[in-house]
Amino acid sequence: MPYQQIPEYPENYSSGNIISRLIDGLGYRYYWATESLTDTDLKYKPSVEAFDTYETIEHIYWLSIMITNTAQNLPSIRLTPDDLSTMNFDILRKKTLQNLKKGSESYAEKTKDDMDDYMIIMQREGHKGEFPFWHMINGPISDALYHTGQIVSFRRTTGNPIDSKVNVFTGKPKS
């Protein structure tokens, strides 16, 4: 699966490369946040009202769909419980990582002008909304980073912290 380590960085700071690298950082964090989760970890929820870890993973999967669909100028159609019912944790994790990798690769090397053409298109129950790409940064990408951090916190609480060799600064596990 992608993101056991972060890919080498690009040669330039184009608009697309910056977004691509941001997604790669998310992918690396998500990979390690979800590596070796136990049933206890997946069922953990900090309060009655909160999502448990598994529901948080389902939400991040949805965000990864939005990231990938926007990169392809496709609408994102809200998932239903039936859409998710056929997937277990391993499938959700794999599909999320694949979506992030595909999104990252799609944005790489894009220019400012290319980025201006991207719109987030959301469809739900016959309604369609379009939003400028700026919302991708403060919306799905930031939200996925936020929720990935929650998973890291949740698994610490259940006594299963992420591997101590994970180094988010370098994007490579320490030797």
Side-chain angles (χ1 to χ4, degrees):
M1 279 193 278
Y3 292 120
Q4 186 172 2
Q5 69 179 33
I6 200 167
E8 293 298 319
Y9 45 82
E11 293 183 19
N12 64 64
Y13 290 94
S14 73
S15 300
N17 285 345
I18 291 169
I19 296 301
S20 175
R21 188 64 172 188
L22 185 59
I23 295 168
D24 289 339
L26 165 60
Y28 179 75
R29 284 166 171 78
Y30 181 82
Y31 178 94
W32 289 104
T34 57
E35 176 69 9
S36 303
L37 289 177
T38 65
D39 285 339
T40 300
D41 296 325
L42 292 170
K43 293 175 184 169
Y44 176 78
K45 62 188 326 185
S47 69
V48 175
E49 310 84 39
F51 279 177
D52 63 28
T53 302
Y54 188 81
E55 291 166 321
T56 302
I57 288 166
E58 288 178 329
H59 181 60
I60 295 170
Y61 172 61
W62 164 243
L63 297 169
S64 78
I65 290 170
M66 291 177 65
I67 290 166
T68 302
N69 283 1
T70 299
Q72 300 171 77
N73 289 313
L74 296 172
S76 296
I77 301 167
R78 183 58 105 172
L79 297 172
T80 67
D82 286 343
D83 296 327
L84 297 169
S85 67
T86 60
M87 290 188 256
N88 62 25
F89 164 69
D90 292 329
I91 293 170
L92 279 172
R93 181 174 188 254
K94 182 179 181 180
K95 285 183 173 234
T96 300
L97 288 165
Q98 290 172 336
N99 283 343
L100 295 175
K101 185 69 174 164
K102 185 175 184 179
S104 171
E105 290 170 350
S106 296
Y107 293 117
E109 300 300 326
K110 299 295 185 213
T111 66
K112 180 216 171 292
D113 291 337
D114 295 328
M115 299 305 293
D116 286 342
D117 292 336
Y118 287 117
M119 295 291 288
I120 300 171
I121 306 165
M122 297 178 65
Q123 279 183 238
R124 183 182 209 171
E125 300 170 2
H127 296 90
K128 182 177 172 182
E130 293 189 10
F131 303 89
F133 186 80
W134 289 111
H135 292 271
M136 179 58 62
I137 298 167
N138 60 281
I141 295 173
S142 293
D143 199 27
L145 282 163
Y146 174 88
H147 290 302
T148 298
Q150 285 179 309
I151 295 169
V152 171
S153 177
F154 292 176
R155 67 183 294 167
R156 278 189 202 129
T157 303
T158 59
N160 184 21
I162 64 169
D163 188 325
S164 62
K165 293 181 181 175
V166 172
N167 185 328
V168 296
F169 182 75
T170 64
K172 297 178 182 173
K174 299 172 197 166
S175 303

